[in-house]
């Protein structure tokens, strides 16, 4: 058994997780998070400099909270995992520097992990070890990728967004409707009172045979649709949210399920902030049931960025005796997965 500490600072959440890994998989002991999201709200998006500074301030208090929740001390930690990329360069550097200091000071191995791979691995904390192979749908503010997960540390990219990420589309539509930032949770909530069939918004790249996504046309269609209302007070906001959300959930789930069928993989894992979306979760479940596939989606709190996901992937690496990263490992804002 070993205790793995995971540090996540790729965007605006300072996440520190602690998992205990053993032969039967990993158990989550602590998942402490400090978010600088409120500081970015008035800019309508994450301000990198503000995020980096917030990580520096939040790092030690968040670490102390995680250790207290797990009921352990730094001396008990057996390995340190950290998001090495992709993400905001300055933000990543804070986590990577802290992880290196901890690994060096404690004389324990350091594991740099890929942020998107960690979004898949976190599901092991809820639903046990991953199957030998599965398809992952990773949808966040920065990414929308469909991956084949044969090696949990390095999922293979099958398709990606060619323009906006799914979460970005949620955030932009929320801005068009003046609903605040981040937009995903509020669009999700408002959509609950709307009719998803009220407006037939376009499904980008739906029938093109690829595994790629496109959301900028959808965002433009929403903008054009809203522009037709001379008075913003007349806009049926709930119907717009529900119909927009339906279009996103429709294309994401259709392509993810086709990938499972094409590759003969019987499990779909969904991760990333947008995986918290209630309609995406519901439609994915309905369609996986119909196709005889197993759907694995972590609880919403583990879908958005957190340290537990990094610790979960670190535990997989420790478990298989992977070679640790070097203490001079870089933080990489761009870190492509294999294709
Ligand atoms: O994974 P994440 O926390 O950070 C990134 O790596 O980007 O994802 C954040 C994104 C934001 O765009 C946010 O609007 C979106 O996830 N999001 C949601 C929901 N909760 C968060 N989108 C749709 N529905 C939600 N319930
Ligand atoms: Zn993320």
């Amino acid at each position: 058994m070993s205790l793995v500490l995971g540090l996540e600072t790729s965007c605006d959440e300072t996440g520190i997780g602690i998992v205990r890994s053993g032969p039967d998989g990993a158990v989550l002991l602590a998942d402490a998070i400090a978010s600088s999201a409120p500081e970015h709200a008035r800019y309508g998006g994450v301000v990198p400099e503000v995020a980096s500074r917030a990580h520096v301030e939040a790092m030690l208090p968040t670490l102390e909270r995680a250790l207290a929740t797990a009921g352990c001390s730094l001396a008990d930690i057996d390995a340190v995992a950290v998001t090495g990329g992709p993400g905001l360069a300055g933000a990543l550097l804070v986590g990577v520097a802290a992880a290196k200091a901890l690994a060096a000071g404690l004389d324990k191995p350091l594991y740099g992990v890929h942020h998107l791979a960690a979004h898949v691995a976190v599901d092991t904390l809820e639903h046990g070890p991953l199957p030998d192979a599965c398809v992952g749908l990773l949808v966040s503010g920065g990414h929308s990728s469909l991956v084949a997960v044969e090696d949990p540390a390095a999922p293979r990219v099958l398709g990606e967004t060619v323009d906006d990420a799914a979460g970005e589309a949620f955030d932009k539509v929320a801005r068009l409707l003046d609903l605040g930032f981040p937009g995903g949770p509020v669009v999700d909530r408002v959509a609950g009172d709307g009719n998803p069939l009220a407006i037939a918004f376009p499904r980008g790249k739906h029938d093109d045979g690829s595994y790629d996504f496109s959301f900028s046309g959808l965002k433009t269609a929403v903008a054009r649709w809203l522009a037709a209302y001379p008075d913003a007070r007349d806009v049926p906001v709930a119907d717009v949210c529900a119909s927009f959300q339906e279009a996103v959930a429709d294309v994401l789930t259709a392509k993810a399920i086709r990938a499972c069928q094409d590759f003969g993989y019987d499990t779909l894992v969904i991760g990333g902030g947008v995986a918290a979306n209630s309609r995406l979760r519901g439609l994915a479940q309905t369609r996986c049931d119909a196709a005889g596939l197993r759907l694995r989606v972590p609880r919403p709190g583990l879908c958005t960025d957190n340290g537990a996901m990094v610790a979960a992937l670190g535990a997989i690496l420790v478990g298989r005796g992977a070679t640790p990263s070097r203490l001079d490992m870089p933080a990489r804002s761009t870190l492509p997965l294999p294709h």
Side-chain angles (χ1 to χ4, degrees), residues 8 10-11 86 115-116 119 139-143 271-273 303-306 309:
E8 155 61 38
S10 68
C11 192
H115 182 80
L116 291 185
H119 268 306
V139 275
S140 71
H143 300 271
C303 289
T304 44
D305 289 350
N306 61 78
M309 65 193 225

